[in-house]
Amino acid sequence: MPSYTAPIKDTQFILHDVLKITEAQIPGYDELEADFTSAVLEEAGKIAGAVLHPLNVVGDTEGCRLENGVVYTPTGFKGAFDQMKEGGWPGLDMPERYGGQNMPYVMGTAVGEFFSGANQAFTMYQGLTHGAASAILAHGSDAQKDTYLPKMVSCDWTGTMNLTEPHCGTDLGMMRTKAEPQEDGTYKVSGQKIFISSGDHDMADNIIHLVLAKIPGGPEGIKGVSLFIVPKFLVNEDGSLGERNGVSVGKIEEKMGIHGNSTCVMNYDGATGFLLGTEHKGMRAMFTMMNEARLGVGMQGLAQAEAAYQNALAYAKDRLQGRDVTGVKNPDGPADPLIVHPDVRRNLMDQKSFAEGARAFILWGAHMLDKAHRASDADADGLISLLTPVIKGFLTDKGYDMTVQAQQVYGGHGYIEEWGMSQYTRDARIAMIYEGANGVQALDLVGRKLAQDGGKHVMAFFEMVKTFCKDSGDMSEDFIRDFIDPLKAASKDLQAAGMYFMQNGMKNPNHALAGSNDFMHMFGHVCLGLMWAHMAKSAQAACDAGASDAAFYETKIATGRYYMARQLPATALHLARIQSGADTVMALDAEQF
Amino acid sequence: MPSYTAPIKDTQFILHDVLKITEAQIPGYDELEADFTSAVLEEAGKIAGAVLHPLNVVGDTEGCRLENGVVYTPTGFKGAFDQMKEGGWPGLDMPERYGGQNMPYVMGTAVGEFFSGANQAFTMYQGLTHGAASAILAHGSDAQKDTYLPKMVSCDWTGTMNLTEPHCGTDLGMMRTKAEPQEDGTYKVSGQKIFISSGDHDMADNIIHLVLAKIPGGPEGIKGVSLFIVPKFLVNEDGSLGERNGVSVGKIEEKMGIHGNSTCVMNYDGATGFLLGTEHKGMRAMFTMMNEARLGVGMQGLAQAEAAYQNALAYAKDRLQGRDVTGVKNPDGPADPLIVHPDVRRNLMDQKSFAEGARAFILWGAHMLDKAHRASDADADGLISLLTPVIKGFLTDKGYDMTVQAQQVYGGHGYIEEWGMSQYTRDARIAMIYEGANGVQALDLVGRKLAQDGGKHVMAFFEMVKTFCKDSGDMSEDFIRDFIDPLKAASKDLQAAGMYFMQNGMKNPNHALAGSNDFMHMFGHVCLGLMWAHMAKSAQAACDAGASDAAFYETKIATGRYYMARQLPATALHLARIQSGADTVMALDAEQF
C-alpha cells in the first residue's frame, strides 16, 4: 500500500522564502504569516494523509456504479466528503459573503495539491464545484449567486462542466445540444454530453450542471454557444429543492484511471436551464472555469508526481538489491538498498527536481492570479494568461512521465496493482487530456497567447528572467556557473524559437504550429529553471543568514543544480526541432501515411 | 474497437530491399526468396488480424482466473492456440529434428511482431515456450531434448522461466529456492517464484518450468545457482504423462495490463527437478533464454507502438475537428480531419518514424543473430551481444512513449477503455520492466558490454557507421545533408560519450553509470538513424531503378527525413547530460532526499 505525506515544509519554503507572500502588496496576503499558513497546511496535510489517501486505492478498486439511475461512489467517499465540508475546505478561497474563508488562491492551490496528491479522483468532486462556482461568481446575476453559491461554496451542492459531445470536444462550434427559449425566460435544454466528471453521485443534495448549448436561430459555430445553469433538482424560491429536472445519467464510462470519480454520459431531455451571462457568449463564461481548471490540472500533474515520488523514494531506500560499485554501503545486509545505484539516483533526482520545481511554478502562478484578481494587476493577468497553457501542458506531460519513472523504481512490483504504483500513472494520464488536450494547450500558447497584446507578455517574461539574472550578479561564481549561466542559455533558446516563429510563421503558420509542442516544453523548462534559480538563491540567503536547518537549504541547492545540469539543456533539443521547420512534419499527404 | 493489419509490405521492404537476405551467405537464407517470405508473412498476417487481434480486448477484459488450483485463460484463447499450433507457427524457426520448420530467426522475428502486435498477452504463451525450448536445445542432454523438445516445439507443452522471488529480482544471488540432490540423480525443488508469465493455464497438456535454484553446499551468491527442468506433470519413459509434480499456483497477479496472460506466483514444494546443464552454471544457461527473450521484448515495444499507431492514424483521418489553418481541406464536412493539424502530424510522424525504424533495427538484429548462430560469425555475435540491451531498453522505452502519444490523438476517447487505446499503453508498460528492467539493460550496456573484448564490438559498430557513410559518398547532396551529415553528428556524439566514460569512469565508475540510461538512449537513436539512412538509400535505389511503386519509396524517404531532423538530434541532449557527470546525480546522501 502506498503512503502519502503532505510536503508542508517545501510549500512553506516556497510561500515564505521564495515568494515572500506577506511582503506582496495584495489584499488578503498580509494575513498569511508563516505561523498561520503553517497551521492551515498542517490541518490540510492531516486530512489528506489520514482521510483522503486511504480511500485512493479503494476508489480505484471499487469505482463508481450506476444502479437504477442512481450513481454510488466508492465506500467511504461520502464520509470523507462530509469531513471535507465540515473543515470548510471547499470554500477556503471563496468569498465570505457566500460562506467561504476568502483566503487567496495561492492558499487554495497549496492545499489543493495535498488533496489531489492524496486522492485525485475524490478531490475532483470539489474541484469541479469550485470551477462552476467561479463561473457563477463571475457571470451570474445577483439572484443566481444568492441561489447557488452558498450551497456550492459549502459543497452541499456540487457542480459540473458540460462541454464535450460524442462528435466534438475541442471543436465546440459543432455542438448539437440546444436550448429552446421559454416564455418564462428559462430554456429547455436537450442533448447529450459526454465525459462529465463528477456528473452524478450520492454525496451532495443537488448537482448544478453548467451546460454549453445553442439557442436556435443564433450565430453559426462557436459564436452561437451559450452557457446554462441546469440543476439536477430545480430550486424553489425559498431555496428548498423542488422537482427533479430532465437530466439523467446515460452511463458511467470505463476509464484507464480515476475510477473513484464518476465520469458520466449526461442526457438532457428538455431540462430547465437558466442562462448564465449573456446569450451566445457562453464560451467566454466557460473560460472563466477553464482557465482556473487548467491551472488546477497542471497542479494535478505535480500532485501525482509528488505522491508517486514519495513512494518510489521509500522503496529505493528499503529494497535491498545489488551492491554499490564504489563500495558496500550495507555490510550487515544481504545487499545494498536500491538508492545506492547511480541510475536509480538519476531517476529519483529527475522526480525530485521536477516536483519541487513544479510546486514553485504552480504556486508562483497562483500568486500571479491573486495579483491579477485581488490587486487588479494587468501585467500579472497577461503573464498568467500566457503561462496557463505552459502550466497545464508541461506539468501534466512531465508529471505523467515522472509517475512512469516512479513505477520503474519498483521493477516488476511496479506493474502489479498490489503496490499501487500503476494507479499513479493511470490517474495521472487523464491530466494530459482533459481541460484541453496538451496539443491544444500548445496551440493556444503559440497560436494565440504569444502574440497577445502585441507580444507584450512574452516580452515581460523575458524581461523578468533578465532582471533576475542581473539582480543575481553579486552571487558567488559557483552560483553564476550552476544557475545563472544555464538559465540565460535556456532563455536564449526560447527567444530564438520565438524569433523563428515570427520570421517563418508569417509565410506559413505551419512553421510555428509544427513546433508548438516543443515550444510549450521549452517554455516549461525555462520556467522551472527560473524557479530553481529563485529557490537556490533564497536557500543560499537562508544559509548565509545562519538558518538552523542548513541541511534543508543545502539539499534544495543541490537539487536545483541537478535540474539545471540535467533537465534544462533540453531547450537546445526543442529549439533544434523547431528550427527544422514544418517541412518534414507536413511532407506526406494524408493518403501517404 | 481497435483494428490490426500486419505491416507486410514494410517487413518485405526491410528483408529484401534493405537487408537483402537472399544475398547473405547464411545457411537457410537462400530459401527466403521474396515470394516465399511474402507467402509466410501473408499467412501470419491473416492469423494475427483475424484470430489473435479480436481476442486482444477479450483477454484484457476477462483476464485469467484461478479456480480450485486450475488456471483458466480468457474465452477463445484455447481455440486460437490450437489454430496457431495447427499452422506450425510456434516451431517456425525451430530445428526440423524436433518438428520445427528450421527457418532463420529473422523470419521468426518478423512474424513474431505481427502476433505480438495483434495480441501481446496471448503471444507470450508461445514466446516463453520458445525461450525455454532454446535453453533446453542449447544446454540439455540428448535425452532431455528428445523428451521435451518435440512437444515444446509444437506447443503441446508450453514453457516458463522462473527467476524472481519476492525479495529478489535483479539480484538473483540472494535466491532462496533450493534443490536437494536425490539418490536417483533428480532434485527436490522447494521455494516460491513470482511474476511467472504463462505460469499455468488450460491450453497445454503439460508445462515445463525452467527453475533457478541453489543446491545446498554450493558456492555463495550468483555462482551457486543452477537451472532445473520441473515439469508440471512428470513424463514417463514412453513419453506419456505421469503423476502431477509438486508445483502449484499460489495466485494470479492483478496487473496493470497483459491481463490475458496468467502471471503466477508458483510454489515448489519438493517438486522433482532435473538439472539442465552444469551444476552452479544456471545463470549461463538462463542467459540463453534471456538474450533471446530480450530481443523478443524489444520487438514487443515495436509491436505495441505499431498497433497503437495504426489506430491513431485511422482516427486522425476519420475524426473531424477544427480547420486547417492554411486552408479548409474538407469543405463539404463540418470540420477537417485531425490529420491536417501540424501538431497531430508531429505526433503521427513520431510514431511512424519510430515504428519503421525500430522494425529495421529489430530485423537487422535478428539477422545478426542468424549470422552468429548459423554462420558462426563471431563478429556478428559480438555486435548483437553489444546491442541486445539497446534493442531491449530503447525500443521498449520509446515503444511505450509512442503508445502514449497514440492514445493522445484520441483526446478523451483515448482514456476510456471502449476505444482500446488504454490497453496498448497498459500492455506496453511491462516491456520496460520484464527480462531485466531497462535500468539494468543500461547497466549491462555501459558496465559490461561496452568494454567487452577490449571494446572491440563498439569499435566495430562505429566502423560500420563510418563505412556506410563513406559508401554513400556518391549519393545526392540532399541525401548527404538530410541523412549522412546528421548520422555522422549523432555518431560523433555517441563516441564522445564513450570517450567521457573511458576518461572518467576509471576514476569513479559512477561517472559512467550515472549516464548509462542516456547512453542507451543515444545509442538507440544512432542505430535508428543508421537504419533510416539505410532504408532511405535502398528506397532511393528502388526509385532510381524505376520501381512501379514509387510513392511507397518516396514516403519511406520522407519519413526518414523526419526522423533525422526531429529525433536524431536528441543525441546532443543525452551527451550534455552524460558530460555533466555524476556529481549532481550523487550529491545527496540517502537521508537528504
Side-chain angles (χ1 to χ4, degrees):
Chain A
M1 273 283 284
S3 70
Y4 180 78
T5 307
I8 294 168
K9 195 169 184 179
D10 258 34
T11 302
Q12 282 285 79
F13 166 70
I14 295 165
L15 293 178
H16 298 287
D17 288 16
V18 183
L19 298 178
K20 297 184 193 301
I21 52 172
T22 56
E23 295 172 25
Q25 302 297 314
I26 301 175
Y29 268 51
D30 49 337
E31 291 168 20
L32 304 180
E33 291 297 339
D35 284 355
F36 176 75
T37 59
S38 169
V40 173
L41 296 177
E42 287 285 350
E43 281 308 307
K46 269 184 213 160
I47 197 165
V51 179
L52 307 194
H53 180 68
L55 295 174
N56 198 38
V57 170
V58 175
D60 187 55
T61 313
E62 285 189 22
C64 297
R65 65 184 206 283
L66 175 65
E67 277 175 21
N68 301 320
V70 179
V71 174
Y72 297 92
T73 52
T75 308
F77 269 42
K78 174 125 180 56
F81 202 69
D82 288 342
Q83 276 186 265
M84 290 295 279
K85 283 162 57 176
E86 278 158 28
W89 296 106
L92 192 80
D93 56 2
M94 282 294 186
E96 278 180 297
R97 177 181 170 154
Y98 301 110
Q101 300 188 48
N102 202 34
M103 281 188 212
Y105 187 66
V106 75
M107 288 304 293
T109 304
V111 303
E113 187 214 319
F114 301 172
F115 298 152
S116 252
N119 194 328
Q120 177 172 330
F122 176 90
T123 303
M124 288 169 65
Y125 291 98
Q126 72 184 63
L128 271 299
T129 308
H130 193 283
S134 295
I136 295 175
L137 197 60
H139 303 280
S141 66
D142 286 346
Q144 287 173 333
K145 290 183 199 174
D146 289 340
T147 301
Y148 300 106
L149 289 182
K151 293 290 191 181
M152 292 176 80
V153 165
S154 66
C155 266
D156 287 332
W157 300 351
T158 63
T160 71
M161 295 167 66
N162 291 243
L163 291 80
T164 307
E165 300 183 6
H167 64 292
C168 70
T170 300
D171 190 353
L172 289 169
M174 295 198 283
M175 174 176 303
R176 290 182 195 141
T177 298
K178 61 176 196 292
E180 306 261 10
Q182 306 297 303
E183 289 192 355
D184 63 356
T186 66
Y187 294 77
K188 289 284 171 218
V189 177
S190 298
Q192 189 178 63
K193 296 287 184 178
I194 63 170
F195 304 156
I196 308 307
S197 298
S198 318
D200 200 6
H201 57 86
D202 55 357
M203 303 192 297
D205 300 331
N206 200 5
I207 298 177
I208 310 305
H209 303 289
L210 296 197
V211 184
L212 285 179
K214 286 186 168 179
I215 300 169
E220 288 283 298
I222 199 75
K223 289 178 181 156
V225 168
S226 307
L227 185 59
F228 298 89
I229 298 174
V230 184
K232 178 177 172 181
F233 291 98
L234 293 169
V235 183
N236 297 323
E237 290 221 348
D238 64 356
S240 65
L241 295 186
E243 62 181 303
R244 177 78 193 246
N245 205 349
V247 48
S248 59
V249 178
K251 68 167 174 172
I252 299 178
E253 299 284 7
E254 297 283 340
K255 308 183 299 291
M256 185 177 178
I258 53 165
H259 296 155
N261 195 274
S262 56
T263 307
C264 298
V265 172
M266 301 300 298
N267 293 321
Y268 294 88
D269 302 302
T272 300
F274 308 93
L275 184 68
L276 179 59
T278 316
E279 267 191 6
H280 314 316
K281 303 286 184 201
M283 287 309 291
R284 195 196 293 167
M286 195 49 115
F287 263 101
T288 306
M289 289 175 69
M290 295 249 278
N291 276 330
E292 182 185 305
R294 284 173 179 183
L295 291 179
V297 173
M299 181 267 279
Q300 290 176 345
L302 153 65
Q304 293 305 300
E306 167 70 28
Y309 164 66
Q310 288 185 12
N311 288 283
L313 174 61
Y315 191 80
K317 286 180 173 178
D318 183 60
R319 174 86 170 174
L320 305 180
Q321 210 79 180
R323 290 291 187 189
D324 186 336
V325 290
T326 63
V328 169
K329 288 288 181 298
N330 177 33
D332 300 333
D336 289 341
L338 282 179
I339 199 169
V340 305
H341 302 298
D343 188 60
V344 173
R345 281 290 175 116
R346 187 259 325 155
N347 184 341
L348 293 171
M349 289 299 291
D350 278 352
Q351 296 176 58
K352 180 176 172 65
S353 65
F354 168 76
E356 295 176 19
R359 183 171 298 112
F361 189 25
I362 199 90
L363 291 176
W364 174 86
H367 174 49
M368 284 300 116
L369 211 64
D370 281 330
K371 239 184 188 168
H373 292 169
R374 293 182 166 238
S376 303
D377 183 327
D379 292 340
D381 195 48
L383 203 53
I384 191 60
S385 166
L386 170 73
L387 290 174
T388 294
V390 179
I391 291 175
K392 197 282 184 182
F394 181 71
L395 295 190
T396 60
D397 274 359
K398 286 286 168 190
Y400 176 75
D401 288 348
M402 292 304 110
T403 62
V404 174
Q405 287 195 198
Q407 190 184 19
Q408 192 71 12
V409 173
Y410 282 70
H413 299 279
Y415 196 66
I416 57 173
E417 296 292 351
E418 187 181 335
W419 288 79
M421 298 308 286
S422 157
Q423 187 186 351
Y424 290 120
T425 76
R426 290 184 292 98
D427 285 0
R429 183 67 184 88
I430 187 59
M432 296 158 72
I433 298 174
Y434 62 16
E435 305 306 338
N438 286 355
V440 175
Q441 303 299 327
L443 180 65
D444 179 44
L445 175 65
V446 170
R448 194 140 50 109
K449 298 294 177 63
L450 212 49
Q452 216 166 40
D453 298 323
K456 185 175 144 188
H457 308 303
V458 72
M459 293 302 171
F461 176 83
F462 287 124
E463 200 53 40
M464 181 173 70
V465 175
K466 210 169 130 185
T467 304
F468 176 82
C469 291
K470 222 168 93 181
D471 291 351
S472 305
D474 57 349
M475 298 293 289
S476 72
E477 261 182 52
D478 282 4
F479 187 89
I480 303 285
R481 182 198 62 213
D482 294 345
F483 290 95
I484 301 300
D485 292 345
L487 177 59
K488 278 184 182 168
S491 179
K492 205 175 140 194
D493 285 344
L494 186 64
Q495 282 179 281
M499 191 62 74
Y500 178 86
F501 290 160
M502 281 213 287
Q503 288 169 344
N504 299 278
M506 294 293 196
K507 283 177 285 185
N508 179 355
N510 286 348
H511 281 307
L513 299 180
S516 57
N517 179 65
D518 283 291
F519 191 77
M520 179 175 80
H521 276 260
M522 77 194 296
F523 213 147
H525 276 299
V526 173
C527 289
L528 257 60
L530 176 64
M531 293 301 139
W532 268 117
H534 256 299
M535 286 195 281
K537 196 173 171 180
S538 302
Q540 188 61 55
C543 287
D544 294 347
S548 60
D549 194 4
F552 173 82
Y553 294 108
E554 281 159 11
T555 299
K556 207 48 89 179
I557 296 169
T559 309
R561 273 203 197 100
Y562 180 89
Y563 194 89
M564 305 311 272
R566 290 247 166 187
Q567 293 299 329
L568 200 54
T571 56
L573 171 59
H574 292 301
L575 178 61
R577 285 186 186 147
I578 287 168
Q579 289 179 335
S580 76
D583 294 345
T584 61
V585 179
M586 306 303 290
L588 300 180
D589 289 335
E591 312 79 60
Q592 283 181 285
F593 272 83
Chain B
M1 274 283 284
S3 69
Y4 181 77
T5 307
I8 294 168
K9 196 168 182 179
D10 258 33
T11 303
Q12 282 285 80
F13 166 71
I14 295 165
L15 294 178
H16 298 288
D17 288 17
V18 183
L19 299 178
K20 298 184 194 298
I21 51 172
T22 55
E23 295 172 24
Q25 302 297 316
I26 301 175
Y29 268 52
D30 48 338
E31 292 168 20
L32 303 180
E33 291 297 338
D35 284 354
F36 176 77
T37 59
S38 170
V40 173
L41 296 177
E42 287 286 349
E43 280 308 307
K46 269 184 215 161
I47 197 165
V51 179
L52 306 194
H53 180 67
L55 295 175
N56 199 38
V57 171
V58 175
D60 187 54
T61 314
E62 285 189 23
C64 298
R65 64 184 207 283
L66 175 65
E67 277 175 21
N68 300 321
V70 180
V71 174
Y72 297 92
T73 53
T75 308
F77 269 43
K78 172 124 180 60
F81 202 70
D82 288 343
Q83 276 186 266
M84 291 294 280
K85 282 163 57 177
E86 279 157 28
W89 296 106
L92 192 80
D93 56 1
M94 282 294 186
E96 278 180 299
R97 175 179 172 159
Y98 301 111
Q101 300 188 45
N102 202 32
M103 282 189 213
Y105 187 65
V106 74
M107 288 304 293
T109 304
V111 304
E113 187 215 321
F114 300 172
F115 298 152
S116 251
N119 195 328
Q120 177 172 331
F122 176 91
T123 304
M124 287 168 66
Y125 291 98
Q126 74 185 62
L128 271 299
T129 307
H130 192 284
S134 294
I136 294 175
L137 196 59
H139 303 281
S141 65
D142 286 344
Q144 286 174 332
K145 289 184 200 175
D146 290 340
T147 302
Y148 299 106
L149 289 182
K151 293 289 191 181
M152 292 177 79
V153 165
S154 66
C155 265
D156 287 333
W157 300 351
T158 62
T160 71
M161 293 168 65
N162 292 244
L163 291 81
T164 307
E165 300 183 5
H167 65 291
C168 71
T170 300
D171 191 352
L172 289 170
M174 294 197 285
M175 174 175 303
R176 290 183 195 140
T177 298
K178 61 175 197 291
E180 307 261 10
Q182 306 298 303
E183 290 193 355
D184 61 359
T186 67
Y187 294 77
K188 288 283 171 220
V189 177
S190 297
Q192 189 178 64
K193 295 287 183 178
I194 64 170
F195 304 157
I196 309 308
S197 299
S198 318
D200 200 7
H201 57 86
D202 54 358
M203 304 192 295
D205 300 331
N206 200 5
I207 298 178
I208 310 306
H209 302 289
L210 296 197
V211 184
L212 285 179
K214 286 186 166 178
I215 300 169
E220 287 284 297
I222 200 72
K223 290 179 179 153
V225 168
S226 308
L227 185 59
F228 299 89
I229 298 173
V230 184
K232 177 178 173 181
F233 291 99
L234 293 170
V235 183
N236 297 324
E237 290 222 348
D238 64 358
S240 64
L241 295 186
E243 62 181 303
R244 178 77 193 244
N245 205 349
V247 49
S248 58
V249 179
K251 69 167 173 171
I252 299 178
E253 300 285 5
E254 297 283 340
K255 308 183 299 290
M256 184 178 180
I258 52 165
H259 296 154
N261 195 273
S262 56
T263 308
C264 299
V265 172
M266 301 300 299
N267 293 321
Y268 294 87
D269 301 302
T272 300
F274 307 92
L275 183 68
L276 179 61
T278 316
E279 266 191 8
H280 313 316
K281 303 287 183 200
M283 287 309 290
R284 192 196 295 166
M286 196 48 114
F287 263 101
T288 305
M289 289 176 71
M290 295 248 279
N291 276 330
E292 182 185 304
R294 284 174 177 181
L295 291 179
V297 173
M299 181 266 281
Q300 290 176 345
L302 153 66
Q304 293 304 300
E306 166 70 29
Y309 164 65
Q310 289 184 11
N311 288 283
L313 174 61
Y315 191 80
K317 286 180 173 178
D318 183 60
R319 174 87 170 173
L320 304 180
Q321 210 79 178
R323 291 292 187 188
D324 187 336
V325 290
T326 63
V328 168
K329 288 288 181 298
N330 177 32
D332 300 334
D336 289 341
L338 282 179
I339 198 169
V340 305
H341 302 298
D343 188 59
V344 173
R345 281 291 174 114
R346 187 261 323 154
N347 185 339
L348 292 171
M349 290 300 291
D350 279 352
Q351 296 176 58
K352 181 176 171 63
S353 65
F354 168 76
E356 295 176 18
R359 183 170 299 112
F361 190 25
I362 200 90
L363 291 176
W364 174 85
H367 173 51
M368 283 301 116
L369 211 62
D370 281 330
K371 237 183 187 167
H373 291 170
R374 292 181 168 239
S376 303
D377 183 328
D379 291 340
D381 194 49
L383 203 52
I384 191 60
S385 166
L386 170 73
L387 290 174
T388 294
V390 179
I391 290 175
K392 198 281 183 182
F394 180 70
L395 296 190
T396 60
D397 274 0
K398 287 286 169 189
Y400 176 74
D401 288 347
M402 293 303 110
T403 63
V404 174
Q405 289 196 194
Q407 189 184 19
Q408 191 71 12
V409 173
Y410 282 71
H413 299 279
Y415 196 66
I416 56 175
E417 296 291 351
E418 188 182 335
W419 288 79
M421 299 307 287
S422 156
Q423 188 187 349
Y424 289 120
T425 75
R426 290 185 291 98
D427 285 0
R429 183 68 184 87
I430 188 58
M432 296 158 72
I433 298 172
Y434 61 18
E435 304 307 337
N438 286 356
V440 175
Q441 302 300 326
L443 180 65
D444 179 44
L445 175 65
V446 170
R448 192 140 50 112
K449 298 294 176 63
L450 211 50
Q452 216 166 39
D453 298 324
K456 183 175 147 188
H457 309 302
V458 72
M459 293 302 173
F461 176 83
F462 286 125
E463 200 53 40
M464 181 173 69
V465 174
K466 209 170 130 186
T467 304
F468 176 82
C469 292
K470 221 168 92 182
D471 291 350
S472 306
D474 58 348
M475 297 294 289
S476 72
E477 261 181 52
D478 282 5
F479 187 90
I480 303 286
R481 183 198 59 213
D482 295 345
F483 290 95
I484 300 301
D485 290 346
L487 177 60
K488 278 183 183 169
S491 179
K492 205 175 139 195
D493 285 344
L494 187 64
Q495 281 179 284
M499 191 60 73
Y500 178 88
F501 290 160
M502 280 213 289
Q503 288 168 344
N504 298 278
M506 295 292 197
K507 283 177 285 185
N508 179 354
N510 286 348
H511 282 306
L513 299 180
S516 58
N517 179 64
D518 283 291
F519 191 77
M520 180 175 78
H521 275 260
M522 77 193 297
F523 214 146
H525 276 298
V526 173
C527 289
L528 258 60
L530 176 64
M531 292 301 138
W532 267 118
H534 257 298
M535 285 195 281
K537 195 173 172 181
S538 303
Q540 188 61 55
C543 288
D544 294 346
S548 59
D549 195 3
F552 173 82
Y553 294 108
E554 281 159 13
T555 298
K556 206 49 89 180
I557 295 168
T559 308
R561 272 204 197 99
Y562 180 90
Y563 193 88
M564 305 310 274
R566 290 246 166 188
Q567 293 300 329
L568 199 54
T571 56
L573 171 60
H574 292 301
L575 178 60
R577 285 185 186 147
I578 287 168
Q579 289 179 335
S580 76
D583 293 345
T584 62
V585 179
M586 307 302 290
L588 301 179
D589 288 335
E591 313 78 60
Q592 283 181 284
F593 272 82

